[in-house]
Amino acid sequence: MSSVDDFDPHAAWLEDPSTYEPVGEHSPRRLEELWAQEEDAADVFLDGGDKPASSMVTIEQPSFESVQPVSAEALAGMAPDGQLLAELEDVDPREVDEYYLVEMAAGYQRIAAWATAKLTRVAGELSRRPLMNGSGALPSHVKAGNMAADELAPRLGLSRFCAQRIVTNARAFESVFALTGQALAVGHIDSRKATTIVSMLEDYPVEIAVLVQDSVIDDAGTQTHSQLVEAIKKAVIAVSHDDADLFHAKARAKRRVEHPRQLPDGMASIRAVVPATDAAAIDLALEAAARSAQAGGDTRTLDQLRADILSLMGHTALELGYVGLPPG
């Protein structure tokens, strides 16, 4: 076989055009000779190695089989993060059984809790920035205050109260309620339960708040919100029975009736925070008056009568000019 230097499969064409064969019966033979010469040249260029495959096309058909999802047990044990989200997004809910759907719902709930924990952490970082604390941003005669909630509320579409609660939780998770923050971050509890733990215990002494938090956090994941509230109440009594009177006095000092909150269709709600004995007295009076009216033939429901009687108390006081027993 000749070398690359002295071999040119097209040399005959370049030196003597008369060597071209006319298109006819000898053309196929000439083409076969040229193809053979080009193959020889390729062998020389590749140092005698194997010739490349004539085609990259394969007759094997690609596989379109769906990727099997992880087991429900594995899904339940996955930490909330991007990997869990990717696994959930790869599953078609129409192709799994009911048990798997339950674990998918639980997985998305853990991701929601994880995302809330991340949001809360960011809000806490924002609240620590000097600009949010009025450092150099406000005139000297303006009282400085943290403005993180004011910035977050319109951007997140929340009331300032809700935005402030996020900031408060962020501060709480960094100190006394770190365990609650961790439970939220791993999806053990949701944001409502985390907020409940903080809001119900933040006014107690640190040692009591920590003890109660530790006693309720394990079961909080499988409890309803109402069950968690009751568990916190019982735990507070258990760890602070010696100081129960002191705590009641502090809580009683915060009794209040909130201003009406507007509801759709011309309605409103009023929330009262009063001592338990006072709340029971109000409830008993409304219930007795409503049932007495029904016994007398009134066709309104008990709920309607209770609401109307409470409203009547307010209208009567406005008309008479006093509340309670008549003067003298």
Side-chain angles (χ1 to χ4, degrees), residues 109-132:
Q109 184 184 47
R110 294 201 303 278
I111 290 175
W114 170 75
T116 300
K118 294 292 186 181
L119 184 156
T120 305
R121 180 182 177 184
V122 170
E125 177 62 30
L126 177 66
S127 70
R128 288 192 295 271
R129 295 299 173 91
L131 185 61
M132 294 294 103

Side-chain angles (χ1 to χ4, degrees), residues 61-311:
Q61 296 298 320
S63 175
F64 293 100
E65 294 181 1
S66 60
V67 178
Q68 293 297 320
V70 299
S71 67
E73 291 76 11
L75 194 68
M78 292 182 66
D81 53 23
Q83 182 180 356
L84 174 58
L85 180 59
E87 291 288 349
L88 291 171
E89 289 297 284
D90 282 341
V91 177
D92 186 345
R94 298 169 297 183
E95 298 180 356
V96 294
D97 59 23
E98 293 78 1
Y99 178 64
Y100 204 94
L101 288 174
V102 171
E103 290 305 328
M104 287 185 67
Y108 279 117
Q109 184 184 47
R110 294 201 303 278
I111 290 175
W114 170 75
T116 300
K118 294 292 186 181
L119 184 156
T120 305
R121 180 182 177 184
V122 170
E125 177 62 30
L126 177 66
S127 70
R128 288 192 295 271
R129 295 299 173 91
L131 185 61
M132 294 294 103
N133 291 280
S135 301
L138 297 174
S140 58
H141 65 279
V142 177
K143 183 179 179 180
N146 193 279
M147 297 183 293
D150 299 279
E151 294 297 323
L152 290 171
R155 184 64 183 89
L156 301 182
L158 302 173
S159 66
R160 191 188 183 283
F161 175 83
C162 292
Q164 184 58 54
R165 171 45 65 183
I166 295 175
V167 174
T168 300
N169 285 353
R171 299 289 183 88
F173 295 162
E174 294 169 358
S175 55
V176 178
F177 298 96
L179 187 61
T180 299
Q182 293 170 7
L184 178 66
V186 298
H188 178 65
I189 59 176
D190 59 25
S191 59
R192 187 184 182 193
K193 290 178 181 178
T195 297
T196 296
I197 293 173
V198 174
S199 62
M200 289 185 67
L201 298 176
E202 60 188 352
D203 292 331
Y204 285 98
V206 172
E207 59 273 15
I208 292 177
V210 170
L211 287 174
V212 174
Q213 173 189 229
D214 292 348
S215 67
V216 303
I217 199 68
D218 288 342
D219 295 331
T222 55
Q223 289 176 326
T224 65
H225 179 259
S226 298
Q227 289 172 335
L228 176 59
V229 170
E230 291 302 317
I232 293 174
K233 291 178 181 178
K234 292 179 180 179
V236 168
I237 295 174
V239 302
S240 63
H241 57 277
D242 294 336
D243 299 319
D245 292 338
L246 175 62
F247 294 150
H248 173 69
K250 290 182 177 180
R252 190 174 186 277
K254 297 181 180 180
R255 63 190 182 276
R256 63 195 180 277
V257 177
E258 298 175 356
H259 292 290
R261 292 188 177 184
Q262 186 175 357
L263 298 175
D265 304 320
M267 303 296 285
S269 65
I270 295 180
R271 179 172 178 266
V273 180
V274 297
T277 53
D278 294 341
I282 295 172
D283 180 71
L284 182 59
L286 294 176
E287 188 73 10
R291 291 191 178 279
S292 177
Q294 276 194 338
D298 199 308
T299 58
R300 287 173 288 181
T301 66
L302 278 176
D303 285 341
Q304 291 171 343
L305 284 167
R306 285 167 59 92
D308 293 345
I309 292 167
L310 180 62
S311 300

